[in-house]
């Protein structure tokens, strides 16, 4: 048994080596693109949470591209792969709107990084000279309001809060009123973490969304799903259910990519649901939010 | 998924009947399906591979084909192997011989450490202990406050010295105070950190060296994907952990990370977090977890839940009726009402064996389904419920109107009842339980 464990450990140590290097190595071992080489790429993708089905799809796409370009040269493989995968993610400009304020709703499962992302986004908008207002619509989790308040202060944003345990829609109502009165440019709504399987909590979220819509036609302008980058296949389920409940998501913020997780599940989400990634979180600091760049993301996947 | 998996494997092995011999190649083919199921459940790629190798040896040794249902037997072997890997039995947190018992929690950001600290305190309180908590996350905004709130709810003291003192100092003070204030369990809530963050990992090693926790538990998000192995390996190497707490398992994650962590660290998973509330902590049951990873449904939990809700007398009557096949719509109705008592539809469905959750996703899963079915049944006359065959077209229209539903829905319900009756006849066949689970669901 010990032997098995050791073998496994050794194997895993290799996982952490650069994917690019592994592909390069794989490429080096083959003198043409063939099924064995594709299988190696398949195993690499599976280890970044891309998922079985989406991985097979990417491999098929890769094979087609190689045929189209009439290339069997392994050296071209990385480029083809980059194209194939970047295509799945596409590039996603934020939904256009010249309404003021721009209302952004942040949703997601527990602990994914919503509050932190809300804080970072507020700071980003404030840095552009915009007047930002943050609404504390997580009235459930212990000290969630206090946590967001710290972020509001850091971002120098206005902050609307009610008491712990109060109706989140009421907070949002007040925030919308205040935003108009104070002539805010952006309203960011931080909501409580909830598992997508909890129907009543999803209803609560729908109500929050309706509340913004009643205050202002066209709001919310963005509904951003915050996904923990270490999440596996369940993220697809999360994206699907949140999207269905809220009549679509405008984008994803993929967090915690400063660790060793690669967040490959966003490819499955791209293929199945077409929801674009807007931001990536790369740390706990206020600056650690980056605009998503598909080709760079794909490159990082293999580095 | 279990159904799917069994089905796929039956298909593969069926072709081999008559050939009388199970070749390595045939086993490989069915194991590919198992591998896929494992990967879809987030079991690490390499862990899945090692696991498949082990199962293959066992399957070859058992001569699968001679069995009547090779596909099922194959799943059985896989299931059994999963259980044995997962550790066979539940393992509790050990209480130190001389108090206080010191428990340290560690893990990635947002995995559920602070909540688990509260839950463990609740757990220990229930067992008659007197816990004290240390708020050793001085980094995340309002992390200390969060634990203080939980401490207030539980009426348990929380050591918080503000952001200016080091986590190590806070932990030491907590242990000292436990001695002075007759607190026999100390739980240390540490800040979330990445396993690759050397400085932060060093902080934990420092605390470990200074207060010598009896128990170091890694708190892992149950939805974690392939990366679980890297995290578990790093934390275990640095801290020599004693076990894990797997959180957020109240959703629909299959929890393959559990298997990965077990394989890598050989340390037990001790608790499972099943909600945000402080009582939502369960002792880990390897068997249930194995079923869940394979998508077999949590049969045991379901049965327990049913036992708690269904009155024994009622159940016995029902059983007799099932046997004699005199189960009518009246019984169907009382069964639905029992179902209502057992918990939310959502929870029940998740525990049902043979339920393909992916297929369920698009369906009307809301709790009102039950209510609507009850309305339909209530709109029938007693006679109609006792003799469903009399329910013709015009009666169906009347029932639909009376219950505020549609004829389609009435038809649907009758169809389900018919299917159920058919199932009853086959109850003695192997695998009938799983199928029954599927057919009984109102929205199928
Ligand atoms: N390393 C790292 N940590 C992050 C990142 N984003 C958030 N975090 C941390 O993850 C933890 C959870 O973040 P929160 O913002 O509280 O998550 P949340 O979704 O608001 O959580 P709930 O409201 O409890 O559901 C905190 O410790 C954050 O500091 C990131 O990009 N990288
Ligand atoms: N549904 C569900 N939510 C949970 C569970 N355990 C924790 N949570 C939620 O997950 C989120 C994060 O939990 P915390 O306890 O704050 O996590 P943490 O590891 O202390 O986070 P950091 O200190 O920021 O690293 C909160 O919203 C919790 O309510 C669980 O078992 N089920
Ligand atoms: Mg939050
Ligand atoms: Mg915490």
């Amino acid at each position: 048994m010990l032997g098995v464990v050791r073998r496994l450990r050794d194997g895993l140590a290799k996982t952490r080596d650069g994917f690019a290097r592994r592909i390069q190595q794989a490429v080096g071992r083959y003198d043409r693109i063939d099924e064995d080489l594709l299988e190696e790429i398949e195993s690499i993708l599976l280890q970044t949470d891309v998922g079985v089905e989406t991985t097979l799809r990417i491999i098929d796409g890769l094979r087609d591209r190689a045929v189209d370009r009439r290339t069997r040269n392994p050296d071209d493989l990385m480029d083809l792969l980059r194209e194939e995968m970047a295509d799945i993610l596409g590039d996603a400009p934020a939904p256009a709107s010249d309404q003021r304020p721009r209302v952004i709703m942040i949703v997601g499962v527990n602990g994914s990084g919503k509050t932190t992302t809300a804080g970072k986004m507020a700071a980003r908008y404030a840095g552009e000279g915009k007047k930002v207002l943050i609404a504390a619509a997580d009235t459930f989790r212990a000290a969630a309001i206090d946590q967001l308040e710290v972020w509001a202060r850091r971002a120098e944003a206005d902050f609307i809060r009610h008491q712990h345990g109060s109706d989140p829609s009421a907070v949002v109502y007040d925030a919308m009123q205040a935003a108009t009165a104070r002539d805010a440019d952006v309203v960011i709504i931080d909501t409580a973490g909830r598992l997508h399987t909890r129907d009543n909590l999803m209803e609560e979220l729908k109500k929050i969304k309706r509340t913004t819509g009643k205050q202002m036609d066209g709001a919310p302008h963005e509904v951003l799903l915050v996904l923990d980058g270490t999440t596996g296949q369940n993220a697809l389920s999360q994206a699907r259910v949140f999207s269905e409940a809220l009549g679509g998501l405008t984008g994803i913020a993929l967090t915690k990519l400063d660790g060793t997780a690669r967040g490959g599940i966003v490819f499955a989400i791209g293929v199945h649901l077409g929801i674009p990634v807007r931001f990536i979180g790369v740390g706990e600091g206020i600056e650690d939010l980056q605009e998503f760049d598909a080709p760079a993301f794909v490159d990082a996947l293999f580095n | 998924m279990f159904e799917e998996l069994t089905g796929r494997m039956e298909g593969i092995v069926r072709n081999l009947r008559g050939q009388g011999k199970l070749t390595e190649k045939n086993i490989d083919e069915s194991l590919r399906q198992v591998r896929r199921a494992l990967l879809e459940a987030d079991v690490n790629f390499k862990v899945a591979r090692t696991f498949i190798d082990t199962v293959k040896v066992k399957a070859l040794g058992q001569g699968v084909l001679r069995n009547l249902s090779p596909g099922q037997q194959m799943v059985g072997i896989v299931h059994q192997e999963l259980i044995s890997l997962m550790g066979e039995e539940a393992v509790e947190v050990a209480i130190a011989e001389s108090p206080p018992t010191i428990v340290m929690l560690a893990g990635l950001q947002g995995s559920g450490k602070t909540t688990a600290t509260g839950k463990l305190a609740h757990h220990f309180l229930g067992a008659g202990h007197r816990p004290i908590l240390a708020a050793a996350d001085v980094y995340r905004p309002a992390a200390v406050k969060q634990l203080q709130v939980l401490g207030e709810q539980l009426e348990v003291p929380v050591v918080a010295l503000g952001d200016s003192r080091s986590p190590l100092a806070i932990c030491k003070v907590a242990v000292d105070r436990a001695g002075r204030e007759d607190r026999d369990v100390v739980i240390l809530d540490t800040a979330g950190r990445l396993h690759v963050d050397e400085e932060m990992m060093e902080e934990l090693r420092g605390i470990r060296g200074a207060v010598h926790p009896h128990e170091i538990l890694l708190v892992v998000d149950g939805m974690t994907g392939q990366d679980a192995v890297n995290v578990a390996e790093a934390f275990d190497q640095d801290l020599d952990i004693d076990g894990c707490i797997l959180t957020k398992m109240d959703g629909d994650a299959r929890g393959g990370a559990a298997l990965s962590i077990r394989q890598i660290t050989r340390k037990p998973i001790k608790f499972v977090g099943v909600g945000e509330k402080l009582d939502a902590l369960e002792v880990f049951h390897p068997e249930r977890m194995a079923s869940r990873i394979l998508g077999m449904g949590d049969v045991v939990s379901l049965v327990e839940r049913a036992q708690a809700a269904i009155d024994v007398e009622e159940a016995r009557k029902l059983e007799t009726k099932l046997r004699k096949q005199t189960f009518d719509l009246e019984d169907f109705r009382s069964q639905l009402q029992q179902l209502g008592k057992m918990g939310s539809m959502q929870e029940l469905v998740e525990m049902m064996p043979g339920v393909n959750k992916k297929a369920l996703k698009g369906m009307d899963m809301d709790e009102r389904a039950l209510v609507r079915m009850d309305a339909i049944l209530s709109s029938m006359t007693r006679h109609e419920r006792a003799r469903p065959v009399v329910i013709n077209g015009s009666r169906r229209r009347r029932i639909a109107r009376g219950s505020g539903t549609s004829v389609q829905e009435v038809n649907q319900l009758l169809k389900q009842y018919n299917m159920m009756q058919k199932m009853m006849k086959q109850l003695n066949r192997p695998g009938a339980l799983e199928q029954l689970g599927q057919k009984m669901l109102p929205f199928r």
Side-chain angles (χ1 to χ4, degrees):
Chain A
M1 211 57 203
L2 251 157
V4 176
V5 178
R6 196 171 311 120
R7 186 149 49 89
L8 197 63
R9 284 215 168 139
D10 292 345
L12 287 166
K14 281 193 213 109
T15 318
R16 285 193 302 273
D17 287 356
F19 285 107
R21 221 188 75 211
R22 289 189 59 200
I23 289 203
Q24 291 307 339
Q25 278 174 353
V27 164
R29 266 182 274 130
Y30 298 94
D31 52 6
R32 59 197 200 94
I33 298 176
D34 66 4
E35 289 308 311
D36 285 347
L37 176 51
L38 292 178
E39 202 169 301
E40 295 223 17
I41 293 168
E42 180 185 313
S43 82
I44 293 168
L45 291 178
L46 286 171
Q47 291 173 69
T48 63
D49 293 314
V50 173
V52 179
E53 199 188 323
T54 306
T55 293
L56 295 179
R57 222 158 141 147
I58 291 171
I59 298 293
D60 284 345
L62 188 61
R63 198 183 284 114
D64 293 346
R65 272 175 210 262
V67 172
D68 280 354
R69 307 282 167 82
R70 298 173 203 286
T71 175
R72 300 188 114 191
N73 184 355
D75 293 335
D76 297 335
L77 201 74
M78 266 309 285
D79 287 339
L80 295 181
L81 195 55
R82 222 174 265 131
E83 281 173 27
E84 175 68 27
M85 296 182 75
D87 268 9
I88 290 177
L89 293 177
D91 41 17
S97 153
D98 38 24
Q99 277 185 307
R100 282 183 65 216
R102 184 179 184 80
V103 180
I104 304 170
M105 202 174 144
I106 313 267
V107 304
V109 298
N110 306 85
S112 61
K114 295 172 293 300
T115 304
T116 308
T117 304
K120 291 172 182 174
M121 282 177 72
R124 173 179 276 261
Y125 283 115
E128 292 168 8
K130 300 218 166 79
K131 184 171 174 60
V132 184
L133 187 145
I134 298 179
D138 178 357
T139 60
F140 177 76
R141 209 209 67 202
I145 300 171
D146 306 76
Q147 182 188 358
L148 188 63
E149 189 161 28
V150 173
W151 278 107
R153 213 178 308 132
R154 285 180 185 172
E156 296 180 27
D158 278 14
F159 188 58
I160 300 293
R161 62 173 289 176
H162 284 190
Q163 277 189 353
H164 177 82
S166 59
D167 178 8
S169 290
V171 181
V172 170
Y173 179 90
D174 275 3
M176 293 295 290
Q177 296 279 318
T180 316
R182 301 181 199 175
D183 200 23
D185 296 295
V186 183
V187 176
I188 298 176
I189 303 169
D190 179 33
T191 64
R194 69 201 74 220
L195 294 185
H196 50 293
T197 49
R198 292 284 300 275
D199 288 346
N200 54 342
L201 296 183
M202 296 308 279
E203 284 301 324
E204 179 191 273
L205 211 52
K206 288 185 202 171
K207 189 173 159 205
I208 292 176
K209 187 185 174 211
R210 278 198 303 273
T211 305
T212 64
K214 273 188 203 147
Q215 298 291 298
M216 178 184 183
D217 268 350
H221 306 91
E222 290 185 51
V223 181
L224 202 64
L225 176 72
V226 179
L227 272 186
D228 184 329
T230 55
T231 310
Q233 302 308 300
N234 192 251
L236 183 57
S237 182
Q238 292 171 25
R240 182 175 287 128
V241 179
F242 271 100
S243 177
E244 274 166 13
L246 297 170
L249 299 167
T250 58
I252 287 169
L254 190 64
T255 64
K256 309 182 193 176
L257 289 183
D258 42 330
T260 49
R262 303 288 165 160
I265 190 65
V266 295
F267 292 98
I269 294 173
V271 164
H272 290 279
L273 305 170
I275 303 168
V277 184
R278 288 278 322 281
F279 293 106
I280 59 171
V282 292
E284 297 182 82
I286 200 160
E287 306 268 313
D288 296 326
L289 185 74
Q290 296 174 3
E291 209 128 333
F292 181 71
D293 170 6
F297 183 74
V298 175
D299 276 347
L301 208 61
F302 293 99
N303 272 310
Chain B
M1 187 69 217
F2 173 51
E3 286 273 296
E4 230 172 81
L5 183 60
T6 313
R8 273 193 244 164
M9 298 217 290
E10 296 283 3
I12 290 164
V13 202
R14 198 175 303 127
N15 301 333
L16 307 171
R17 287 256 174 83
Q19 292 180 23
K21 207 169 152 224
L22 189 61
T23 64
E24 199 168 321
K25 181 161 164 281
N26 306 138
I27 290 187
D28 281 348
E29 213 174 319
S30 54
L31 284 179
R32 242 198 302 282
Q33 302 295 342
V34 175
R35 176 174 170 269
R36 181 169 181 151
L38 294 177
L39 289 173
E40 280 166 357
D42 287 326
V43 173
N44 176 268
F45 180 82
K46 297 226 160 85
V47 171
R49 193 155 66 192
T50 312
F51 179 79
I52 293 293
D53 288 348
T54 320
V55 170
K56 183 172 169 178
V57 173
K58 299 230 155 131
L60 278 171
Q62 287 201 11
V64 170
L65 254 196
R66 272 186 296 279
N67 191 274
L68 278 176
S69 171
Q72 277 188 350
Q73 193 189 335
M74 202 59 184
V75 174
I77 297 173
V78 171
H79 190 217
Q80 201 46 55
E81 189 57 28
L82 268 181
I83 294 172
S84 79
L85 248 175
M86 218 77 87
E88 307 276 1
E89 270 169 35
V91 186
E92 285 262 5
V93 170
I95 295 298
E97 270 173 30
S98 62
T101 302
I102 304 170
V103 182
M104 174 164 112
L105 300 188
L108 296 186
Q109 287 92 346
S111 61
K113 296 171 295 299
T114 305
T115 309
T117 304
K119 287 176 177 178
L120 278 180
H122 179 269
H123 169 85
F124 284 121
L125 280 173
H129 293 285
R130 291 165 45 78
I132 183 168
L133 314 179
D137 178 355
V138 298
Y139 311 101
R140 211 208 67 197
V144 170
K145 180 77 191 294
Q146 185 184 355
L147 191 66
Q148 282 173 326
V149 171
L150 301 185
E152 268 164 43
Q153 279 173 27
L154 294 164
E155 297 179 19
V156 159
V158 174
V159 177
L161 305 178
D163 297 356
S164 56
R165 301 290 298 277
S166 76
L168 175 61
I170 294 167
C171 292
K172 275 188 184 160
V173 169
V175 173
D176 285 348
R177 258 187 68 180
R180 273 184 280 123
E181 296 173 21
D182 189 27
R183 294 273 154 186
D184 62 352
V185 177
V186 186
I187 310 173
L188 314 174
D189 177 30
T190 64
R193 68 202 68 215
L194 294 172
H195 51 293
V196 287
D197 187 335
E198 253 317 303
E199 213 174 298
M200 289 296 282
M201 292 305 280
E202 177 56 36
E203 176 190 288
L204 288 182
R205 287 194 294 267
I207 296 175
R208 176 172 182 265
V211 307
H212 305 292
H214 300 90
E215 189 94 24
I216 301 179
L217 297 176
L218 176 65
V219 181
V220 186
D221 186 326
M223 301 180 280
T224 310
Q226 297 286 314
D227 201 40
V229 288
N230 298 328
V231 177
E233 189 186 21
F235 272 93
D236 192 32
Q237 257 168 19
D238 277 13
L239 299 172
D240 187 19
I241 61 169
D242 297 281
C244 293
I245 299 180
L246 202 65
T247 64
K248 308 180 198 172
M249 291 300 281
D250 40 328
D252 59 357
R254 294 268 291 283
L259 182 65
S260 306
I261 296 166
R262 272 294 300 185
Q263 267 275 28
I264 293 302
T265 64
R266 298 274 144 190
K267 306 290 170 61
I269 290 158
K270 298 202 167 180
F271 293 99
V272 179
V274 291
E276 296 186 66
K277 304 242 172 76
L278 295 181
D279 59 358
L281 187 73
E282 289 179 356
V283 170
F284 178 75
H285 290 287
E287 204 264 289
R288 297 181 189 180
M289 196 62 220
S291 303
R292 182 167 178 158
I293 290 176
L294 280 180
M296 281 171 61
D298 192 346
V299 188
V300 187
S301 295
L302 184 64
V303 170
E304 278 177 4
R305 198 75 75 91
Q307 275 168 349
I310 294 180
D311 122 38
V312 181
E313 194 51 38
E314 194 79 13
R316 198 166 296 141
K317 268 195 269 174
L318 191 68
E319 199 191 319
T320 319
K321 289 192 165 174
L322 290 178
R323 282 253 168 67
K324 294 190 182 151
Q325 291 177 31
T326 56
F327 180 82
D328 60 18
L329 282 174
E330 196 75 58
D331 302 314
F332 191 42
R333 184 185 180 202
S334 82
Q335 208 200 1
L336 274 185
Q337 284 162 352
Q338 299 274 15
L339 208 59
K341 269 192 259 168
M342 280 164 67
S344 87
M345 208 58 214
Q346 187 79 41
E347 285 176 329
L348 287 175
V349 170
E350 271 151 23
M351 288 190 287
M352 284 278 186
V355 172
N356 180 347
K357 281 176 209 151
K358 276 194 206 128
L360 279 176
K361 272 292 161 251
M363 294 193 193
D364 184 13
M365 274 287 297
D366 79 59
E367 309 287 323
R368 279 166 306 197
L370 260 184
V371 178
R372 294 171 78 81
M373 291 182 73
D374 196 36
I376 293 174
L377 288 164
S378 303
S379 296
M380 295 177 182
T381 64
R382 188 178 287 266
H383 177 65
E384 285 167 344
R385 281 197 295 266
R387 285 185 49 78
V389 283
V390 304
I391 308 178
N392 58 16
S394 71
R395 283 174 191 260
R396 284 174 200 212
R397 278 193 296 280
R398 192 208 76 232
I399 294 166
R401 258 200 319 276
S403 57
T405 60
S406 64
V407 174
Q408 256 172 343
E409 279 173 276
V410 176
N411 288 341
Q412 177 74 15
L413 183 140
L414 289 170
K415 211 166 99 195
Q416 275 156 6
Y417 165 72
N418 284 336
M419 276 194 323
M420 228 174 131
Q421 280 222 310
K422 263 190 220 133
M423 284 306 309
M424 307 272 164
K425 294 186 188 146
Q426 302 167 352
L427 252 182
N428 290 327
R429 274 187 15 199
L433 176 66
E434 284 86 359
Q435 290 173 32
L436 183 66
Q438 254 182 4
K439 303 277 153 67
M440 255 168 49
L441 294 174
F443 30 77
R444 274 240 148 192

